[in-house]
Amino acid sequence: MDFKTFLIIAFIASSIISGLDIWVWSKQRKDKLEKLRSKKRNIEYEDAQKILEKPDWVSLSDTAFVMTCIAAVIWMMLPNFELILVVALGISFVITLVEKFYMEKKAEAKVQALYQIKTHPDEKEIEAVRKLPWWIDYGWSFFPLLLIIVLLRSFFYEPFKIPSGSMKPTLWVHDFILVNKFAYGLRLPVTKTKLTEGDAPQRGDVVVFRAPHEPEKDYIKRLIALPGDTVFYNQKHELFIIPNCDTDSARENANNAGLQCGVKNLIHRRLVSDDGFENTDVYEETIGTVTHQILVHEKDIQYGQYRYIPGWRASYEANKRVYPNLTERKFHADRGSFHYDWAKGVKVPQANYFVLGDNRTGSSDSRFWGFVPEKRMVGKAEAIWMHLEFGFEDKKNPDKGGIMSYIPTGVKFDRVQGIK
């Protein structure tokens, strides 16, 4: 039985049981108490509570109903964790308002009514009257914590976990990084509406963004080219840029990056180590003012694996007729083919960026699914704050390691460092 089926069965069963208790069994318990009071006027409070008390299995059903509702909401919003937090904050805020402006007043009114009936009511009875439902109690208790988390994640720094090797050797799988959310301007959570301008992204920045072909998924790559730049990328994995020099600021930016206007500038790289990182050649590359390492697999150069396939344009059009929601970005990303013929040069549109993974022969990036719109920028990756090792993970097939593969077995403190 898969999780979805289990969730549906648990929801239906718990809703039926809880519904029967609300509309049938609770009424039967109250009728039983009233009959007993008609025979015996002075019934102890504890005895009355025992009669009205739900059976344990019904209480368990109520808990299961709430938990399945929460699980269903989270399931629908995955993998958008930010949306989950914002929805949870909204719910807790509403619960806080209900608790402060309604439930507390209602509880005090019940206490006053109790004192009118009994001059000296039992302390346990007073406590029971004032007691708020558990969901109210938890709801407003979590509100301050959720508010702090949402504010920190949305406007200051957000933690991310590196899920793939596309940024090796700069970032490894299971690195935990901090992303500066205000570097490129503050944005509202979920909607990503820009509130402040911030600094413009620069060549060489390691950036986090919402993938244009997978809108709900965060990607991390290195920003290579700015709006107006023309990018060339050949089968030897050589990178060239003709910088945008249309304005004074663009020319100054190009000069600061060591790029000559009107010239096809080769982005310099030098071999650092043969098979130096996981049997892959390590090069040192300088883009803009940033010098970093990249990986290029020698076999990819040797066999000239250039992935632009002109005939796939017709294949995309045929698939589009069958799957109307299919985008050209998604089509090329799924097939590992280049979006454009980068060897001939492609100009970066305005308000867009060209990004590459540092693992040049093992990354899905702008070569495959095109440019990143500015509105999809999330922030700038600034530091690695932790790296976990998972000793039970199947290195060749990490997705098939079973539940044991999620158990961390160590921490590499030497990975804690700034990102360049």
Side-chain angles (χ1 to χ4, degrees):
M1 182 187 299
D2 60 17
F3 179 74
K4 185 177 179 181
T5 304
F6 172 78
L7 198 65
I8 293 171
I9 293 173
F11 173 77
I12 293 174
S14 61
S15 59
I16 291 173
I17 294 171
S18 297
L20 285 172
D21 184 70
I22 292 171
W23 292 301
V24 181
W25 299 329
S26 63
K27 187 176 182 300
Q28 291 176 351
R29 293 194 296 271
K30 289 177 182 178
D31 291 342
K32 183 178 179 180
L33 179 60
E34 289 303 319
K35 287 179 182 179
L36 188 60
R37 278 177 173 164
S38 65
K39 297 178 182 178
K40 185 180 178 181
R41 290 187 175 277
N42 297 322
I43 300 175
E44 294 292 333
Y45 173 73
E46 291 184 354
D47 294 334
Q49 287 302 108
K50 286 181 180 178
I51 294 172
L52 294 174
E53 189 177 17
K54 293 181 181 181
D56 291 341
W57 60 277
V58 174
S59 298
L60 180 63
S61 173
D62 291 345
T63 303
F65 176 75
V66 174
M67 295 304 293
T68 52
C69 287
I70 293 172
V73 171
I74 293 174
W75 183 269
M76 287 188 291
M77 291 188 293
L78 286 176
N80 197 336
F81 184 65
E82 186 176 60
L83 180 59
I84 294 172
L85 282 177
V86 172
V87 170
L89 176 63
I91 293 172
S92 65
F93 177 67
V94 171
I95 290 174
T96 299
L97 293 179
V98 171
E99 189 271 336
K100 295 298 180 185
F101 296 103
Y102 177 71
M103 298 299 291
E104 281 188 356
K105 293 181 179 179
K106 185 177 179 181
E108 288 302 319
K110 286 183 177 180
V111 171
Q112 294 298 325
L114 182 62
Y115 271 100
Q116 291 178 1
I117 298 171
K118 298 180 180 180
T119 308
H120 300 290
D122 188 282
E123 286 295 328
K124 291 183 178 180
E125 195 170 359
I126 296 172
E127 185 181 342
V129 169
R130 282 185 172 150
K131 186 177 180 181
L132 298 174
W134 66 268
W135 56 274
I136 290 285
D137 195 23
Y138 278 107
W140 73 265
S141 297
F142 280 121
F143 175 70
L145 177 63
L146 287 170
L147 180 61
I148 292 171
I149 292 173
V150 169
L151 288 176
L152 285 175
R153 284 173 52 93
S154 301
F155 303 120
F156 296 97
Y157 285 91
E158 182 175 357
F160 281 85
K161 176 177 173 290
I162 302 301
S164 73
S166 68
M167 281 296 290
K168 290 179 178 178
T170 305
L171 298 172
W172 300 0
V173 179
H174 305 318
D175 276 346
F176 288 78
I177 66 171
L178 284 177
V179 174
N180 186 333
K181 299 296 287 290
F182 57 86
Y184 305 137
L186 296 179
R187 297 176 186 268
L188 288 175
V190 182
T191 64
K192 302 303 179 186
T193 303
K194 202 167 187 178
L195 301 177
T196 63
E197 284 304 315
D199 296 328
Q202 298 298 316
R203 300 178 185 91
D205 288 356
V206 177
V207 296
V208 173
F209 54 91
R210 287 293 173 89
H213 64 297
E214 294 181 294
E216 300 303 320
K217 191 172 181 180
D218 291 311
Y219 270 51
I220 182 167
K221 306 292 176 185
R222 191 174 298 276
L223 195 151
I224 301 297
L226 302 177
D229 290 352
T230 301
V231 179
F232 299 81
Y233 194 92
N234 62 30
Q235 64 186 27
K236 295 181 179 180
H237 297 282
E238 292 175 328
L239 177 64
F240 301 84
I241 295 177
I242 300 176
N244 173 25
C245 293
D246 292 342
T247 64
D248 290 340
S249 60
R251 282 191 292 273
E252 183 181 357
N253 198 316
N255 289 333
N256 292 337
L259 301 174
Q260 296 182 39
C261 292
V263 175
K264 186 177 176 181
N265 297 266
L266 172 64
I267 303 305
H268 176 72
R269 73 183 189 196
R270 67 179 184 86
L271 183 64
V272 175
S273 177
D274 292 325
D275 296 337
F277 189 93
E278 298 178 349
N279 299 318
T280 306
D281 293 343
V282 181
Y283 288 82
E284 189 175 76
E285 179 184 80
T286 299
I287 179 73
T289 59
V290 178
T291 298
H292 60 282
Q293 292 186 338
I294 64 171
L295 300 182
V296 178
H297 203 291
E298 181 62 29
K299 286 184 178 179
D300 223 33
I301 296 177
Q302 182 179 349
Y303 297 121
Q305 294 178 6
Y306 192 68
R307 295 183 176 85
Y308 179 70
I309 305 173
W312 278 23
R313 175 69 192 182
S315 178
Y316 163 68
E317 295 294 346
N319 277 269
K320 180 73 173 177
R321 287 192 289 270
V322 180
Y323 306 102
N325 294 327
L326 179 67
T327 65
E328 195 169 356
R329 293 175 186 265
K330 182 69 173 171
F331 175 82
H332 286 288
D334 289 345
R335 285 155 183 79
S337 62
F338 283 176
H339 193 275
Y340 302 107
D341 187 357
W342 299 104
K344 293 182 178 180
V346 182
K347 189 173 183 178
V348 182
Q350 290 302 311
N352 281 265
Y353 300 96
F354 179 85
V355 297
L356 292 176
D358 287 351
N359 185 356
R360 295 293 159 81
T361 47
S363 171
S364 174
D365 46 44
S366 285
R367 295 170 296 176
F368 300 91
W369 36 254
F371 305 104
V372 179
E374 190 276 337
K375 63 182 179 181
R376 292 195 174 277
M377 283 290 181
V378 172
K380 179 180 179 181
E382 291 194 342
I384 303 168
W385 61 275
M386 184 174 67
H387 176 89
L388 292 180
E389 293 182 316
F390 293 79
F392 300 108
E393 184 179 70
D394 186 338
K395 300 299 182 183
K396 293 183 178 179
N397 298 291
D399 296 332
K400 299 180 180 180
I403 192 169
M404 294 294 288
S405 65
Y406 293 95
I407 300 174
T409 56
V411 181
K412 287 184 69 69
F413 292 103
D414 59 345
R415 289 293 299 158
V416 178
Q417 57 189 296
I419 297 172
K420 65 177 183 177

